[in-house]
Amino acid sequence: MRISNRFITIEGIDGCGKSTQAEMLSDWLSLRFGKNKVVKTYEPGGSGNEIRNILLNSSMSERSELLLFLADRMEHVQNIILPALCENKWVICERYIDSTIVYQSFGRGIPACEIERLFAWCEFPVPQLTIYLDVPVDVAVSRVDSRGNKDRIESVGIEFIRKIYSAYKQLSIDRKRIVRVDASLDIHKVADSVRNVLEERFELKS
């Protein structure tokens, strides 16, 4: 089975602008390749909200949280991501495997090697490109606070958020597929930067 390499994930702390940039990137790719050639999705809940609702609104142990995220991803990969990649479509996903490493390993303390072994056992496809939207913690927290009605994960304390921010910074250094984009700028300038990364990585410049 041939799998396309047009798999792009967008990562960063809550409030970094993932949803906005995923939407703008999806629109740009749709103009270039056709709307039917682009799939925009997200985690958790990309293939259904049952597990998402539990994750975002219920208290649980660290390992229960990890296993629920993986169960949600398994359904997402099998029902949404892999079928789209097999049809040579672009897939843009808000949050994916890097979120799990950052939140469940750096944040919750589960050894990264254990999580990586589970990724391998689940046979999750690895993105060709991951955009890391880097925004200062205080800016991101202000954005999240302005929304109101925060879920369980968004309600964690500032020290936990700083830990997550540092983890994303480290991952962006360690993993070559991750490209940092300054997300503190105007959203259109951020979108331009994201498009420039794609044009270079996928050789899209005409």
Side-chain angles (χ1 to χ4, degrees):
M1 180 172 61
R2 181 179 180 276
I3 304 297
S4 166
N5 69 349
R6 296 178 171 184
F7 186 17
I8 303 159
T9 56
I10 300 182
E11 294 279 0
I13 60 176
D14 288 316
C16 70
K18 290 183 299 298
S19 297
T20 298
Q21 294 305 320
E23 186 71 33
M24 295 176 79
L25 179 57
S26 175
D27 289 344
W28 179 71
L29 287 171
S30 295
L31 284 174
R32 292 197 63 163
F33 298 96
K35 197 167 185 178
N36 65 336
K37 284 293 185 180
V38 181
V39 172
K40 182 176 72 68
T41 187
Y42 60 91
E43 291 193 351
S47 62
N49 285 322
E50 294 87 353
I51 298 178
R52 177 185 174 87
N53 289 336
I54 296 172
L55 281 165
L56 298 186
N57 299 297
S58 303
S59 297
M60 65 192 73
S61 71
E62 289 85 357
R63 290 178 183 265
S64 293
E65 182 182 66
L66 169 62
L67 292 174
L68 280 175
F69 271 115
L70 296 182
D72 176 81
R73 178 166 302 134
M74 180 64 77
E75 293 303 303
H76 188 209
V77 165
Q78 294 298 319
N79 296 326
I80 305 294
I81 294 175
L82 278 183
L85 293 176
C86 288
E87 293 176 4
N88 201 34
K89 294 181 180 180
W90 294 89
V91 175
I92 304 163
C93 185
E94 300 172 45
R95 295 206 180 283
Y96 189 58
I97 53 176
D98 298 302
S99 282
T100 305
I101 293 295
V102 166
Y103 282 85
Q104 275 63 58
S105 181
F106 287 86
R108 306 297 192 199
I110 300 173
C113 60
E114 293 184 13
I115 297 175
E116 296 279 9
R117 278 198 292 268
L118 288 168
F119 288 172
W121 181 73
C122 293
E123 298 182 333
F124 293 142
V126 177
Q128 176 72 7
L129 171 67
T130 297
I131 300 292
Y132 162 49
L133 298 176
D134 184 1
V135 64
V137 170
D138 58 340
V139 174
V141 169
S142 177
R143 291 176 180 176
V144 172
D145 287 344
S146 68
R147 300 173 189 164
N149 298 320
K150 292 188 285 187
D151 61 44
R152 178 178 68 88
I153 295 176
E154 291 174 334
S155 299
V156 295
I158 189 69
E159 290 307 317
F160 185 86
I161 297 172
R162 289 197 177 103
K163 186 187 296 186
I164 296 304
Y165 177 78
S166 296
Y168 269 123
K169 282 274 199 182
Q170 188 60 51
L171 277 191
S172 70
I173 295 170
D174 294 343
R175 303 188 176 191
K176 292 182 179 180
R177 65 174 165 80
I178 301 179
V179 177
R180 175 193 173 274
V181 169
D182 184 352
S184 64
L185 305 174
D186 172 83
I187 61 171
H188 297 288
K189 290 182 179 179
V190 177
D192 287 342
S193 296
V194 171
R195 288 194 291 267
N196 288 339
V197 171
L198 258 74
E199 287 179 336
E200 181 175 342
R201 180 64 60 92
F202 294 97
E203 299 181 347
L204 298 178
K205 290 185 179 180
S206 53

